[in-house]
C-alpha cells in the first residue's frame, strides 16, 4: 500500500513541502490561556550552568487525559505534553518564531501543541506507522463525515469476500476468524478514496492492534491468550469502536488551526529541513531517540504489516534508517571513536568499548547520526533549539546522553541558554533492559543560534 501525504506549499529547491505560516494571528480559542514567561524568566535568572530541577507537571498543572487528539495512537515514548505546553507559552522560547520544526515527530505531540498555540509546524518521522498517526493527529480540515466513511468501509468489509493479506507473517498473531476479518477490512482500506486513506489506515492499524493475540501491557508484540478465540464479530466491534473514538477526538480539535505537516523521512537528510530563510524564524523542538534499547519499530510491527510497510513480516528496512537502532550493519559494528567530536564523549565510549564492544559501536553510531542531524540545524542556522533528552544506563554505568548531545550542539556554535531537569519520567518507555535503559529524568536544554549567523 502506498503512502499518502497532504503537503502544503513546496519548500523552494527541495521538492519538499513546508507549512505556510499563518497569515492571520491565531484566533483566541486556539490559544491555551496560560503563559509561563514569568516562571521561565525566574528559572533563567538562577541558571548558572548546572541543570535546574523542575516539575513540568507542577508548573503546568493537571491536563485532561487525552485532550484533543493526544492519545489518538498508543505510541511508546510519547513526550510529556506539559513540556511543549510550557515551552510554547514562554516568550523567550517563541519570540521571533513562526515555525516549529520537530525532526523526530513520533506520534506528533509537539506538532499538535504548536497548532494549539497558533504556530505552524512541520515534522519529520522515519517510522511510517508513527508518521501516519501524527498526520491524522494534526489533520488540517477535519471532514465532518468521518464516522460515516469509516462505517461504510466496515459495512463493505462485512459484505465482501475479497481479502488483502499484505504479509502472511501476520497470521500467527491472530485467531483464524480475526485474521480473515482484518484481511477483508484491509482490502476495503486499500480501495478507499485517496483523501480518506490516512483515516482508514489508522482505523485499521488500531483495530489490528486491539484484536491481536498480544499482551497489551507490553509495547512490543508478545503472544498471550488475549483474543485467542476472537471472531469476525469481535473485529467488526473493534473497528466500530475505534472509528467512533477517531471521529470524536478529531471532532474535538479547535476548528481553525495553523497548518502542520509530517514528512515521512530521515532527519539526517538536509532536504527535509526548513530552508535558510524559514530557519531564521524556526524553533526546533524535539525529543530525539534515546540512544539504544528503543523499540519504536518493533512496537508498531503488526500495524506496519497490515499497512503494507513490512513485506514478509520484515521491518529491518525501517529499522535501518532509525537513529538509536539495536541492529548494526557490518560496517557500523566497527567502533570508530574518531568520528566522535567531543573528548569527553570519546572517553566515555572508550570505557564502554572496553566492557562491551558491540554496545560501544551502537552508541558511536547513535552520536554520529545525531551529529549529522544537528549539522543540518547549523547549516540552515535554525534560530532556536529546545531538546528533551535523557541519560542511559550502559554496562553498569550512566551515559549522560543529554549532556553529550548538548556538547555537540554547543560545538556547532549554539549558545546554551538553560538546562532544566524534570525527575519525573514523562515517557512510558518500553521494556527495561540491562544495557540502554533510560534513567527516569528528562533534560530540557535550550540553545540560541550565534548572533549574526
Ligand atoms: C522519542 S520518539 C519521539 C516521540 C514524540 N515526541 C511523541 O511524543 O510521540 C523519537 C522518534 O524518532 C524517530 N526516528 C528515529 N530515527 C529517525 C530518523 N532518522 N529520522 C526521523 N525520525 C527518526 C523514531 O521513529 C521515534 O518515533
Amino acid at each position: 500500500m502506498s503512502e499518502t501525504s497532504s503537503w502544503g506549499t513546496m519548500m523552494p529547491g527541495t521538492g519538499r513541502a513546508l507549512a505556510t505560516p499563518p497569515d492571520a494571528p491565531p484566533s483566541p480559542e486556539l490559544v491555551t490561556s496560560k503563559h509561563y514567561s514569568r516562571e521561565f524568566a525566574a528559572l533563567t535568572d538562577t541558571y548558572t550552568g548546572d541543570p535546574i530541577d523542575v516539575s513540568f507537571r507542577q508548573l503546568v498543572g493537571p491536563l485532561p487525559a487525552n485532550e484533543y487528539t493526544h492519545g489518538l495512537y498508543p505510541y511508546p515514548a510519547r513526550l510529556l505534553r506539559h513540556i511543549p505546553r510550557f515551552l510554547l507559552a514562554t516568550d523567550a522560547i517563541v519570540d521571533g518564531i513562526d515555525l516549529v520544526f520537530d525532526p523526530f515527530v513520533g506520534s506528533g505531540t509537539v506538532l499538535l501543541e504548536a497548532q494549539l498555540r497558533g504556530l505552524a509546524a512541520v515534522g519529520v518521522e522515519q517510522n511510517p506507522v508513527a508518521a501516519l498517526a501524527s498526520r491524522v493527529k494534526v489533520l488540517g480540515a477535519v471532514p465532518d463525515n468521518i464516522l460515516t466513511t469509516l462505517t461504510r468501509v466496515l459495512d463493505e468489509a462485512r459484505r465482501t469476500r475479497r481479502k488483502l493479506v499484505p504479509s502472511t507473517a501476520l497470521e500467527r498473531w491472530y485467531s483464524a476468524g480475526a485474521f480473515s476479518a482484518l484481511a477483508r477490512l484491509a482490502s476495503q482500506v486499500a480501495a478507499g478514496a485517496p483523501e480518506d486513506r490516512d483515516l482508514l489506515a489508522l482505523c485499521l492499524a488500531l483495530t489490528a492492534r486491539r484484536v491481536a493475540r498480544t499482551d497489551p501491557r507490553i509495547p512490543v508484540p508478545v503472544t498471550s491468550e488475549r483474543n485467542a478465540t476472537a471472531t469476525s464479530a469481535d473485529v467488526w466491534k473493534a473497528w466500530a469502536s475505534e472509528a467512533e473514538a477517531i471521529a470524536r477526538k478529531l471532532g474535538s480539535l479547535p476548528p481553525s488551526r495553523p497548518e502542520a505537516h509530517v514528512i515521512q523521512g530521515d532527519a539526517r537528510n538536509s532536504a527535509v529541513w526548513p530552508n535558510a530563510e524559514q530557519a531564521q524564524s524556526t524553533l526546533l523542538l524535539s525529543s530525539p531517540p534515546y540512544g539504544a534499547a528503543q523499540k519504536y519499530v518493533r512496537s508498531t510491527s503488526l500495524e506496519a504489516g497490515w499497512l503494507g510497510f513490512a513485506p514478509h513480516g520484515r521491518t529491518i528496512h525501517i529499522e535501518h534508517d532509525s537513529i538509536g537502532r539495536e541492529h548494526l550493519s557490518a560496517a557500523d559494528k566497527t567502533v570508530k571513536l574518531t568520528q566522535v567530536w567531543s573528548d569527553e564523549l570519546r572517553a566515555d565510549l572508550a570505557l564502554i568499548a572496553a566492557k562491551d564492544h558491540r554496545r560501544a559501536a551502537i552508541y558511536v553510531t547513535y552520536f554520529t547520526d545525531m551529529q549529522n542531524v544537528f549539522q543540518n540545524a547549523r547549516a540552515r542556522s535554525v534560530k532556536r533549539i529546545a531538546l528533551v533528552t535523557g541519560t542511559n544506563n550502559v554496562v553498569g554505568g550512566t551515559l549522560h546522553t543529554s549532556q553529550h548531545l548538548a556538547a555537540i550542539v554547543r560545538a556547532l556554535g549554539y549558545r546554551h541558554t538553560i538546562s532544566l531537569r524534570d525527575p519525573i519520567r514523562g515517557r512510558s518507555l518500553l521494556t527495561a533492559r540491562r544495557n540502554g535503559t533510560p534513567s527516569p529524568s528528562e533534560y530540557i536544554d535550550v540553545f540560541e543560534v550565534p548572533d549574526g549567523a
Side-chain angles (χ1 to χ4, degrees):
M1 196 178 298
S2 69
E3 271 268 272
T4 54
S5 306
S6 48
W7 302 118
T9 49
M10 296 306 280
M11 201 154 89
T14 63
R16 294 282 174 176
L18 258 194
T20 318
D23 300 324
S27 62
E29 78 212 302
L30 276 181
V31 181
T32 46
S33 56
K34 282 191 187 164
H35 284 264
Y36 301 105
S37 299
R38 214 175 311 139
E39 289 85 343
F40 191 79
L43 289 167
T44 314
D45 285 349
T46 54
Y47 182 58
T48 55
D50 291 327
I52 304 173
D53 281 335
V54 295
S55 161
F56 283 93
R57 283 198 175 91
Q58 273 174 20
L59 279 168
V60 172
L63 296 177
N66 293 334
E67 61 182 332
Y68 305 110
T69 43
H70 284 306
L72 183 70
Y73 182 81
Y75 198 56
R78 265 181 286 160
L79 175 63
L80 180 72
R81 73 203 135 103
H82 300 65
I83 297 175
R85 182 72 55 100
F86 178 90
L87 294 175
L88 293 169
T90 298
D91 288 343
I93 301 288
V94 295
D95 264 358
I97 297 299
D98 50 34
L99 179 69
V100 175
F101 177 66
D102 182 353
F104 302 106
V105 160
S107 60
T109 311
V110 166
L111 302 192
L112 176 58
E113 285 296 322
Q115 277 191 318
L116 294 172
R117 264 291 156 196
L119 285 160
V122 175
V124 184
E125 172 55 50
Q126 188 269 334
N127 178 338
V129 178
L132 163 74
S134 49
R135 278 203 301 277
V136 177
K137 189 175 203 160
V138 296
L139 211 60
V142 176
D144 49 17
N145 58 350
I146 294 175
L147 198 52
T148 317
T149 307
L150 292 170
T151 308
R152 195 181 55 239
V153 166
L154 173 59
D155 293 342
E156 283 160 7
R158 294 171 89 146
R159 278 198 301 268
T160 188
R161 285 180 179 278
R162 266 209 315 272
K163 289 182 186 172
L164 175 67
V165 177
S167 158
T168 48
L170 290 165
E171 207 162 344
R172 77 181 186 93
W173 296 102
Y174 298 93
S175 67
F179 187 75
S180 162
L182 284 169
R184 283 153 71 182
L185 282 168
S187 83
Q188 296 309 310
V189 169
E195 65 274 20
D196 296 333
R197 201 68 65 71
D198 276 354
L199 279 171
L200 299 179
L202 185 71
C203 199
L204 177 64
L206 289 165
T207 305
R209 222 185 146 88
R210 187 143 155 182
V211 301
R213 298 175 58 183
T214 51
D215 186 336
R217 293 162 306 177
I218 306 176
V220 298
V222 172
T223 338
S224 82
E225 278 313 298
R226 186 180 76 124
N227 295 321
T229 56
T231 61
S232 51
D234 293 321
V235 177
W236 311 140
K237 218 164 105 189
W239 174 284
S241 149
E242 295 297 350
E244 190 276 323
I246 292 173
R248 181 170 34 80
K249 284 178 184 156
L250 283 169
S252 74
L253 283 172
S256 59
R257 283 159 293 129
E259 288 188 49
H261 292 283
V262 181
I263 299 170
Q264 193 192 312
D266 183 343
R268 289 166 297 179
N269 172 5
S270 63
V272 298
W273 282 65
N275 66 28
E277 196 191 326
Q278 291 158 331
Q280 287 175 19
S281 55
T282 293
L283 165 70
L284 186 165
L285 172 54
S286 194
S287 56
Y290 254 32
Q294 300 170 92
K295 300 184 177 61
Y296 307 115
V297 178
R298 257 210 300 144
S299 76
T300 55
S301 60
L302 297 186
E303 297 92 311
W306 282 108
L307 299 177
F309 300 129
H312 316 296
R314 293 177 66 79
T315 50
I316 195 78
H317 59 289
I318 305 177
E319 211 187 313
H320 184 263
D321 289 334
S322 290
I323 297 177
R325 64 189 191 272
E326 287 278 287
H327 306 292
L328 297 181
S329 65
D332 289 337
K333 278 184 191 147
T334 334
V335 178
K336 291 178 233 114
L337 287 176
T338 45
Q339 289 174 206
V340 173
W341 293 349
S342 100
D343 294 341
E344 290 88 352
L345 175 55
R346 221 174 298 125
D348 277 2
L349 293 173
L351 287 176
I352 296 173
K355 289 187 178 169
D356 185 336
H357 185 86
R358 196 182 74 89
R359 192 105 320 244
I362 285 174
Y363 279 97
V364 170
T365 308
Y366 169 74
F367 282 107
T368 359
D369 284 341
M370 290 304 293
Q371 281 175 188
N372 290 339
V373 171
F374 293 134
Q375 264 172 321
N376 286 332
R378 185 64 186 91
R380 302 280 158 95
S381 292
V382 167
K383 182 177 172 62
R384 198 164 290 136
I385 297 179
L387 297 178
V388 185
T389 56
T391 57
N392 295 79
N393 299 323
V394 188
V395 289
T398 301
L399 181 65
H400 293 279
T401 309
S402 48
Q403 286 177 22
H404 291 309
L405 291 177
I408 291 173
V409 180
R410 283 195 306 265
L412 286 162
Y414 276 85
R415 197 159 49 82
H416 198 166
T417 55
I418 198 160
S419 182
L420 305 170
R421 177 175 53 205
D422 188 334
I424 308 162
R425 191 156 184 79
R427 305 181 201 193
S428 54
L429 218 126
L430 308 179
T431 35
R433 49 178 295 151
R434 192 174 63 87
N435 285 324
T437 306
S439 67
S441 289
E442 300 279 15
Y443 288 78
I444 294 86
D445 290 281
V446 182
F447 308 85
E448 199 75 29
V449 75
D451 289 339

